[in-house]
Amino acid sequence: MPEKAVLVVSFGTSHLDTLEKTIVPIEGDIAAALPDRTLRRAFTSGMILRKLERRDGLHIDNVPQALERLAGEGVRDVTVQPTHIMNGEEYDKLLAQAEPFRGQFGRLAIGRPLLSTEEDYRETAQALLEVLPERESGTALLFMGHGTEHFANSAYCQLEYLLHDLGRTDVLVGTVEGYPGFGEALRRLAERPEVRRMVLYPLMVVAGDHAKNDLAGPEPDSWRSQLEAKGYEVSCVLSGLGEYPGIRRVFVRHALEAAEDGAK
Ligand code: CO
């Protein structure tokens, strides 16, 4: 019977190809860093959990189910590590869902999402620079974040600002649902008439619906199509952040910090 567990919590995805390339390696790296803990998975998106169950007959626990199961197995010490990017709605939901289980474990520690401290932003920016092409005149790189009404949305601007401070003013960040949106990205591009080529990337852990459709899809309203219509030469790199080893290192460090001091 396992004494200790690490529960890796993701928003989730119904795209099994990106699941294998992003969430699975994050879970694997965290499990390897915490070899005395049994690894478990949970997703926070009810919509995705229902879709996987209905379409694939695949059951994945939500957070309360996973914690209930661990408590029932007699696990006493649980580290929960989210793969969320920001301290936003999904992370708040995770904290709220985990709280009632606190009394059922000797220790329940919850790690931070990707972007919390300044160190996190620096490591994340470095992780991106490890995989981005060198700066090239006439080319700009545009990341698509999700965006949220939650105040954590300011994370996108902070990350872009830091990338610019690191000398990469050719990298822009826009979001699907928050600020800065695609319109702001277009306006800032218009200030750079020398830019003719764009490389688009998802700024999301998985490269699912938003990446495949809203970013790179063939419909006229995708970012790719809209930029092409404006005359840019566009290419898309459909890798979720979970595919980047440097990003996984940040999640691993957060899991280790939570496992070690049991904070929160
Ligand atoms: Co969405």
Side-chain angles (χ1 to χ4, degrees):
M1 194 165 77
E3 273 281 294
K4 292 177 165 191
V6 57
L7 174 64
V8 180
V9 177
S10 300
F11 177 78
T13 179
S14 63
H15 293 258
L16 302 177
D17 54 342
T18 187
L19 171 71
E20 287 301 321
K21 287 192 279 189
T22 58
I23 292 173
V24 169
I26 296 172
E27 292 167 342
D29 284 6
I30 289 172
L34 294 168
D36 59 334
R37 291 176 183 268
T38 184
L39 171 70
R40 296 294 165 83
R41 165 189 292 167
F43 286 175
T44 53
S45 168
M47 187 194 67
I48 285 174
L49 290 171
R50 286 189 296 276
K51 185 167 178 182
L52 289 170
E53 190 107 50
R54 197 176 56 230
R55 188 193 65 188
D56 305 326
L58 180 61
H59 175 83
I60 294 174
D61 283 344
N62 61 26
V63 170
Q65 288 166 339
L67 290 174
E68 189 80 65
R69 195 184 297 280
L70 287 167
E73 291 172 13
V75 170
R76 298 297 301 146
D77 179 333
V78 181
T79 293
V80 179
Q81 179 57 49
T83 70
H84 301 128
I85 290 185
M86 54 172 59
N87 292 262
E89 261 173 59
E90 296 298 315
Y91 185 64
D92 285 350
K93 183 163 112 185
L94 161 61
L95 295 179
Q97 289 183 334
E99 202 51 43
F101 289 88
R102 207 163 271 288
Q104 299 196 36
F105 301 104
R107 183 155 168 258
L108 177 65
I110 302 176
R112 295 195 166 280
L114 184 70
L115 295 172
S116 299
T117 65
E118 186 186 337
E119 183 188 11
D120 295 341
Y121 283 88
R122 287 192 181 280
E123 286 183 14
T124 297
Q126 289 300 345
L128 296 178
L129 295 181
E130 278 173 21
V131 293
L132 292 181
E134 296 285 307
R135 186 179 182 134
E136 205 183 326
S137 73
T139 299
L141 314 184
L142 174 60
F143 276 93
M144 172 191 263
H146 193 278
T148 171
E149 290 176 0
H150 193 283
F151 55 77
N153 187 73
S154 54
Y156 297 109
C157 287
Q158 182 161 344
L159 182 62
E160 188 196 77
Y161 196 101
L162 180 57
L163 284 161
H164 289 195
D165 269 350
L166 294 171
R168 292 303 299 261
T169 52
D170 57 322
V171 183
L172 299 174
V173 177
T175 67
V176 193
E177 292 179 16
Y179 177 90
F182 184 59
E184 282 80 20
L186 279 184
R187 182 184 52 70
R188 286 181 295 151
L189 277 171
E191 293 165 357
R192 307 170 186 206
E194 73 284 3
V195 172
R196 301 312 318 148
R197 283 178 306 277
M198 299 288 307
V199 191
L200 310 185
Y201 300 82
L203 186 63
M204 303 179 197
V205 168
V206 305
D209 260 333
H210 287 302
K212 292 176 184 175
N213 300 318
D214 303 330
L215 183 70
E219 303 78 15
D221 59 347
S222 73
W223 287 18
R224 174 213 282 269
S225 299
Q226 292 188 64
L227 287 164
E228 282 174 348
K230 290 191 177 294
Y232 292 99
E233 185 189 308
V234 181
S235 56
C236 300
V237 179
L238 293 188
S239 300
L241 297 182
E243 294 181 51
Y244 302 146
I247 298 289
R248 297 202 295 270
R249 283 198 296 274
V250 181
F251 286 122
V252 166
R253 178 170 61 75
H254 288 183
L256 284 169
E257 285 167 1
E260 277 155 18
D261 40 80
K264 294 206 79 166

